[in-house]
Amino acid sequence: MGRNTLGTLEQAVMMVILALGDGAYGVAIRDELSRRTRREHTLGAVYTTLDRLSAKELLESYLGEPTPTRGGRAKRYFKLTGEGRQALDHAVNTRHELEFGLDLAGKGV
Amino acid sequence: MGRNTLGTLEQAVMMVILALGDGAYGVAIRDELSRRTRREHTLGAVYTTLDRLSAKELLESYLGEPTPTRGGRAKRYFKLTGEGRQALDHAVNTRHELEFGLDLAGKGV
DNA sequence: TTCAATTTCTTCTACAATGTATATTCGACA
DNA sequence: TGTCGAATATACATTGTAGAAGAAATTGAA
């Protein structure tokens, strides 16, 4: 089964991780996702997606140092694996293939 | 009812319907979807999606005349409703927002 | 100095919505 | 009637989404 197809949120999260570069950890990902998406996302939703993508080895993570800010717990940073990057590229290509020739919404939100 | 968010397949099917214009009925949609997507999709998967989008009033359908070909049963044609078009545009815009600034896969598959 | 409150993060759990496949039904011919 | 194009029904897997609970670090009062 497990056709290696990515869901909407999965793709979105992966893109946000790329956009954040280093510094892509749970809360930051959630915030940037909400910003780009113009709607709120809960942390639970984000972490679940992060875990699933990690399980599929499309993401890898490593723990950072705790920051000296109040409550600053060690953050878990995420980045795409080679396989993840490939899967995302594939999804993007498929998307282009689908949009080809269509008169869709312009770039202006 | 749930969130007004479209899944990957839902968006794909809607785009294919736009691409087909008139002539967007089950089998044709399945074929064009498989072509653009470069992978096989079953009719069941397509019809289920079509039904769900119709239930959400993002699509509307009407029956055509049966063709004089052997087994040619009356086809059910689909088209986007205004609301459907809006939902798709919104999804496309969100997508652009997410892709913004990223160095993603080029057009070359 | 100790430790409970507070803050920031992460993990767990549960359920709704989508994705996907197979089987069944329907209606038109030959 | 049997077969073919097309649609419907049904079932289960994967994703999407929320809310609550658990952890680690800091602050500050006793």
Side-chain angles (χ1 to χ4, degrees):
Chain A
M1 287 162 230
R3 210 22 167 178
N4 83 332
T5 174
L6 296 172
T8 309
L9 219 211
E10 290 181 322
Q11 291 183 45
V13 166
M14 291 179 89
M15 287 178 183
V16 167
I17 290 176
L18 283 183
L20 290 174
D22 309 326
Y25 74 101
V27 177
I29 293 172
R30 193 274 300 271
D31 292 347
E32 180 67 7
L33 181 66
S34 295
R35 196 179 74 70
R36 295 200 180 223
T37 263
R38 295 180 194 290
R39 80 176 243 255
E40 293 307 307
H41 291 270
T42 61
L43 273 172
V46 171
Y47 278 113
T48 300
T49 301
L50 252 14
D51 287 347
R52 288 173 183 163
L53 288 173
S54 296
K56 289 192 281 186
E57 303 196 322
L58 300 181
L59 291 184
E60 59 189 2
S61 62
Y62 52 97
L63 287 156
E65 292 293 305
T67 55
T69 50
R70 180 186 179 93
R73 184 181 169 182
K75 301 178 178 70
R76 193 170 176 202
Y77 293 96
F78 292 84
K79 57 177 291 200
L80 303 218
T81 60
E83 201 181 343
R85 177 70 203 211
Q86 230 177 297
L88 182 58
D89 279 353
H90 184 270
V92 171
N93 279 325
T94 296
R95 179 80 180 197
H96 287 157
E97 203 75 43
L98 282 164
E99 289 185 6
F100 185 77
L102 267 51
D103 177 34
L104 291 168
K107 266 55 179 175
V109 179
Chain B
M1 294 239 269
R3 264 282 175 224
N4 174 344
T5 176
L6 295 173
T8 308
L9 219 210
E10 291 181 322
Q11 292 182 46
V13 165
M14 291 178 90
M15 288 178 182
V16 167
I17 289 175
L18 282 183
L20 290 174
D22 310 326
Y25 75 100
V27 176
I29 293 171
R30 192 275 300 270
D31 291 347
E32 180 67 7
L33 181 67
S34 296
R35 195 179 74 71
R36 294 200 181 224
T37 263
R38 294 181 194 288
R39 77 177 244 254
E40 293 307 307
H41 290 270
T42 60
L43 271 173
V46 171
Y47 278 114
T48 300
T49 301
L50 252 14
D51 286 347
R52 287 173 183 162
L53 288 173
S54 296
K56 288 191 282 186
E57 303 195 323
L58 300 181
L59 291 184
E60 60 189 0
S61 61
Y62 51 98
L63 287 157
E65 292 293 305
T67 55
T69 50
R70 181 185 177 94
R73 184 180 169 183
K75 300 180 178 70
R76 195 171 172 203
Y77 293 95
F78 292 84
K79 59 177 289 198
L80 304 217
T81 61
E83 201 182 343
R85 178 69 204 212
Q86 229 177 299
L88 181 59
D89 279 353
H90 185 270
V92 170
N93 279 325
T94 296
R95 179 81 179 198
H96 287 157
E97 202 76 42
L98 282 165
E99 290 186 6
F100 185 76
L102 268 50
D103 177 34
L104 292 169
K107 265 54 177 173
V109 180

